[in-house]
Short mmCIF file of all heavy atoms in Angstrom, two decimals:
data_model
loop_
_atom_site.label_atom_id
_atom_site.label_comp_id
_atom_site.label_asym_id
_atom_site.label_seq_id
_atom_site.Cartn_x
_atom_site.Cartn_y
_atom_site.Cartn_z
N VAL A 452 64.53 144.50 -194.22
CA VAL A 452 64.89 143.31 -193.53
C VAL A 452 65.59 143.54 -192.23
O VAL A 452 66.44 144.52 -192.15
CB VAL A 452 65.84 142.41 -194.38
CG1 VAL A 452 66.26 141.17 -193.68
CG2 VAL A 452 65.04 142.02 -195.67
N TYR A 453 65.17 142.91 -191.15
CA TYR A 453 65.78 143.08 -189.83
C TYR A 453 66.43 141.76 -189.41
O TYR A 453 65.96 140.68 -189.64
CB TYR A 453 64.71 143.43 -188.81
CG TYR A 453 64.10 144.75 -189.10
CD1 TYR A 453 62.99 144.90 -189.89
CD2 TYR A 453 64.53 145.94 -188.44
CE1 TYR A 453 62.46 146.12 -190.13
CE2 TYR A 453 64.01 147.15 -188.62
CZ TYR A 453 62.91 147.27 -189.51
OH TYR A 453 62.37 148.48 -189.80
N GLN A 454 67.60 141.91 -188.65
CA GLN A 454 68.20 140.77 -187.97
C GLN A 454 68.11 141.02 -186.52
O GLN A 454 68.14 142.23 -186.16
CB GLN A 454 69.70 140.61 -188.40
CG GLN A 454 69.82 139.82 -189.68
CD GLN A 454 71.36 139.50 -189.88
OE1 GLN A 454 72.19 139.94 -189.19
NE2 GLN A 454 71.61 138.74 -190.99
N PHE A 455 67.92 140.07 -185.71
CA PHE A 455 67.82 140.29 -184.27
C PHE A 455 68.55 139.20 -183.49
O PHE A 455 68.72 138.11 -184.01
CB PHE A 455 66.37 140.39 -183.83
CG PHE A 455 65.64 139.15 -184.14
CD1 PHE A 455 65.45 138.17 -183.12
CD2 PHE A 455 64.87 139.05 -185.25
CE1 PHE A 455 64.71 137.06 -183.37
CE2 PHE A 455 64.12 137.88 -185.55
CZ PHE A 455 64.02 136.94 -184.53
N SER A 456 68.88 139.50 -182.27
CA SER A 456 69.31 138.46 -181.36
C SER A 456 68.38 138.48 -180.16
O SER A 456 67.88 139.58 -179.73
CB SER A 456 70.77 138.74 -180.94
OG SER A 456 70.92 139.92 -180.20
N ALA A 457 68.05 137.28 -179.66
CA ALA A 457 67.08 137.22 -178.59
C ALA A 457 67.52 136.02 -177.72
O ALA A 457 68.35 135.17 -178.12
CB ALA A 457 65.71 136.94 -179.16
N GLN A 458 67.04 135.98 -176.49
CA GLN A 458 67.29 134.92 -175.60
C GLN A 458 65.89 134.29 -175.21
O GLN A 458 64.96 134.99 -174.98
CB GLN A 458 67.87 135.42 -174.25
CG GLN A 458 68.22 134.32 -173.31
CD GLN A 458 69.04 134.88 -172.11
OE1 GLN A 458 69.18 136.10 -171.92
NE2 GLN A 458 69.57 133.95 -171.34
N GLN A 459 65.89 132.97 -175.25
CA GLN A 459 64.68 132.21 -174.86
C GLN A 459 64.75 131.82 -173.38
O GLN A 459 65.71 131.22 -172.97
CB GLN A 459 64.66 130.92 -175.76
CG GLN A 459 63.40 130.01 -175.50
CD GLN A 459 63.41 128.84 -176.43
OE1 GLN A 459 63.33 129.02 -177.58
NE2 GLN A 459 63.52 127.71 -175.84
N ILE A 460 63.74 132.16 -172.71
CA ILE A 460 63.66 131.81 -171.33
C ILE A 460 62.61 130.74 -171.10
O ILE A 460 61.49 130.84 -171.66
CB ILE A 460 63.26 133.00 -170.39
CG1 ILE A 460 64.08 134.27 -170.76
CG2 ILE A 460 63.26 132.77 -168.92
CD1 ILE A 460 65.49 134.17 -170.42
N THR A 461 62.96 129.69 -170.33
CA THR A 461 62.00 128.57 -170.10
C THR A 461 61.90 128.27 -168.64
O THR A 461 62.82 128.42 -167.88
CB THR A 461 62.43 127.36 -170.89
OG1 THR A 461 63.79 126.94 -170.36
CG2 THR A 461 62.53 127.53 -172.39
N ALA A 462 60.77 127.70 -168.27
CA ALA A 462 60.44 127.18 -166.86
C ALA A 462 59.60 125.96 -167.02
O ALA A 462 58.87 125.86 -168.00
CB ALA A 462 59.77 128.27 -166.07
N VAL A 463 59.88 125.02 -166.19
CA VAL A 463 59.16 123.70 -166.19
C VAL A 463 58.57 123.54 -164.77
O VAL A 463 59.16 123.70 -163.81
CB VAL A 463 60.13 122.54 -166.47
CG1 VAL A 463 59.33 121.19 -166.32
CG2 VAL A 463 60.73 122.63 -167.82
N GLN A 464 57.20 123.22 -164.81
CA GLN A 464 56.49 122.91 -163.63
C GLN A 464 55.91 121.50 -163.72
O GLN A 464 54.91 121.31 -164.38
CB GLN A 464 55.39 123.89 -163.32
CG GLN A 464 55.87 125.26 -163.09
CD GLN A 464 54.73 126.27 -162.89
OE1 GLN A 464 53.70 126.08 -163.48
NE2 GLN A 464 54.99 127.36 -162.15
N ALA A 465 56.69 120.49 -163.20
CA ALA A 465 56.32 119.14 -163.33
C ALA A 465 55.36 118.67 -162.12
O ALA A 465 55.66 119.15 -160.99
CB ALA A 465 57.48 118.25 -163.35
N PRO A 466 54.41 117.86 -162.35
CA PRO A 466 53.58 117.37 -161.25
C PRO A 466 54.48 116.48 -160.33
O PRO A 466 55.53 115.94 -160.68
CB PRO A 466 52.54 116.49 -161.89
CG PRO A 466 52.84 116.44 -163.34
CD PRO A 466 53.95 117.32 -163.60
N ASP A 467 54.08 116.39 -159.07
CA ASP A 467 54.90 115.69 -158.01
C ASP A 467 55.19 114.28 -158.44
O ASP A 467 56.25 113.75 -158.16
CB ASP A 467 54.16 115.76 -156.68
CG ASP A 467 54.21 117.15 -156.05
OD1 ASP A 467 55.02 117.90 -156.39
OD2 ASP A 467 53.35 117.33 -155.16
#
Side-chain angles (χ1 to χ4, degrees):
V452 174
Y453 294 87
Q454 280 188 351
F455 61 89
S456 61
Q458 183 174 11
Q459 179 178 298
I460 310 296
T461 60
V463 176
Q464 296 175 334
D467 288 340

